[in-house]
Amino acid sequence: MHRLLPTFTALTALTALALTTGCSSGPGAEAGAARPEGAAATSPAAEGSKAPPSTFWVDPDSPAARQVEEWRREGRERDAEALRRISERPMAIWPAGDDPASDVRAATEGAAKEGRTAVLVAYNIPHRDCGQHSAGGAGSAEAYRGWVDSFAEAIGDAPALVILEPDAIPHIVDGCTPQEYHADRYQLLSEAIQRFKRQPDVKVYLDAGNPGWITDPHKLSEPLRQAGVARADGFSLNVSNFQSDRTTKAYGHTLSAAVGGKHFVMDTSRNGRGPLAGDRQDAWCNPPGRGLGTPPTDRTDDPLLDAVLWIKRPGDSDGPCRGGPEAGQWWPDYALGLARNAKEA
């Protein structure tokens, strides 16, 4: 999943924007709007199992939860305790690309038993990730339509929040996805939004990348419209990336104004220390020294920000870079580093 980090100029501009937009703060958002960009405070995640208010489901059998138990059996109590900062938080489920139904049912049924909402990621668009670390996706438009239908049907009447196709729109904007695929992609995304919204209790957020990738949010407005964002509940930001809460919220407010006031959600799973310094091409891929960000909550005190979420599951690799396993595979050592470095963005 290719997400370039911003230049110093871009970050400075967005910081200035954040100071003028007057984004409010509250539980699950930034603790102090006046804190300078890059400054860090102790995250609620660092308080162990004390969770912020949230209606989202915690997977009791996540890789992090299993790792906690394994380390306890091995006598690694301190490491296990640190990893609880991940295992006891709600995280998104990324259903399989071949048959999503079983993963979706397991999540939605588990959430429904607890009166909570499952967070799900639909990530199987044809020509996904421009052939990079997360390349793949459905083999054809018809295969994708069938996959989306199976995904939506498996949700049934359960409450669910769906993040739709991370990177799909930004890869059109940055030119990585060839022009010949654009029309089909817009059509498939629009159809997917409509299909998911046929389920009675589903919210859909179409992905819009992150502030360090498409630095001018206005470049996303027309592509989002063509993909049917008007029929979605909003858009998602910072998925699998490291941009700070403040920068991401400022960007979200600007983009919202450009697409008719749509709401947004943002991924704070690994942004507690911000992005890796510098402007290197692969600074997004398993960067060292990063930390958990603001814990997930749907109580943001921001009228446009519906939720902060952990969409990228902390500890899942970005790809075979910096010693990591394949994209999406659990990497316990990296997860432990994120937990130990937990800070509020």
Side-chain angles (χ1 to χ4, degrees):
M1 302 174 76
H2 184 61
R3 298 173 178 80
L4 298 181
L5 289 174
T7 62
F8 176 80
T9 301
L11 270 176
T12 302
L14 279 168
T15 301
L17 177 61
L19 294 174
T20 59
T21 53
C23 298
S24 59
S25 62
E30 293 182 301
R35 191 168 67 245
E37 181 71 28
T42 301
S43 167
E47 298 177 8
S49 61
K50 183 180 179 182
S54 170
T55 63
F56 304 118
W57 178 64
V58 177
D59 181 4
D61 194 39
S62 69
R66 295 195 298 270
Q67 192 71 61
V68 167
E69 294 307 311
E70 179 179 333
W71 281 348
R72 280 177 173 159
R73 289 194 299 270
E74 294 173 355
R76 295 176 60 176
E77 289 293 340
R78 291 185 64 183
D79 291 344
E81 184 65 20
L83 205 62
R84 287 176 57 225
R85 296 169 182 171
I86 297 175
S87 69
E88 296 182 355
R89 303 296 191 199
M91 296 176 284
I93 302 296
W94 297 60
D98 51 356
D99 179 11
S102 60
D103 291 337
V104 171
R105 286 197 193 94
T108 54
E109 290 175 2
K113 290 177 182 177
E114 299 177 11
R116 295 188 174 274
T117 299
V119 180
L120 307 166
V121 181
Y123 187 56
N124 198 38
I125 199 80
H127 314 292
R128 187 180 70 193
D129 204 34
C130 303
Q132 298 176 87
H133 291 320
S134 296
S140 67
E142 285 308 308
Y144 184 70
R145 291 184 177 100
W147 186 84
V148 168
D149 189 61
S150 176
F151 192 129
E153 185 176 348
I155 294 174
D157 295 338
L161 188 155
V162 176
I163 305 300
L164 183 59
E165 295 301 340
D167 300 353
I169 292 295
H171 270 315
I172 286 179
V173 176
D174 75 1
C176 186
T177 298
Q179 178 70 39
E180 63 195 272
Y181 301 137
H182 290 191
D184 280 350
R185 177 162 293 186
Y186 287 135
Q187 182 66 29
L188 290 175
L189 290 171
S190 180
E191 291 177 10
I193 291 169
Q194 295 178 68
R195 178 62 189 89
F196 281 120
K197 292 302 293 181
R198 281 167 48 191
Q199 305 309 122
D201 204 4
V202 169
K203 291 186 175 182
V204 181
Y205 294 85
L206 178 61
D207 188 63
N210 69 76
W213 184 359
I214 309 298
T215 56
D216 180 0
H218 294 93
K219 292 181 179 181
L220 290 159
S221 59
E222 183 56 29
L224 286 171
R225 288 193 189 97
Q226 290 191 52
V229 73
R231 292 182 292 273
D233 293 274
F235 55 90
S236 58
L237 293 174
N238 207 40
V239 174
S240 298
N241 209 260
F242 306 86
Q243 307 305 309
S244 75
D245 287 4
R246 174 187 288 205
T247 298
T248 304
K249 287 199 292 183
Y251 189 91
H253 276 248
T254 302
L255 182 54
S256 173
V259 291
K262 300 302 289 187
H263 290 203
F264 64 99
V265 298
M266 65 182 190
D267 187 354
T268 61
S269 59
R270 306 184 299 173
N271 74 343
R273 296 291 180 111
L276 189 68
D279 192 27
R280 289 174 287 174
Q281 181 78 4
D282 286 334
W284 59 273
C285 189
N286 300 324
R290 302 309 91 197
L292 302 174
T294 305
T297 182
D298 53 1
R299 304 184 189 183
T300 70
D301 288 349
D302 184 321
L304 291 176
L305 179 61
D306 288 347
V308 295
L309 304 168
W310 285 4
I311 300 170
K312 171 73 175 185
R313 297 165 67 89
D316 283 0
S317 176
D318 292 315
C321 49
R322 297 189 172 91
E326 294 299 316
Q329 292 188 16
W330 172 246
W331 187 4
D333 290 341
Y334 196 81
L336 184 59
L338 292 172
R340 287 175 171 167
N341 290 329
K343 296 286 183 179
E344 184 172 307

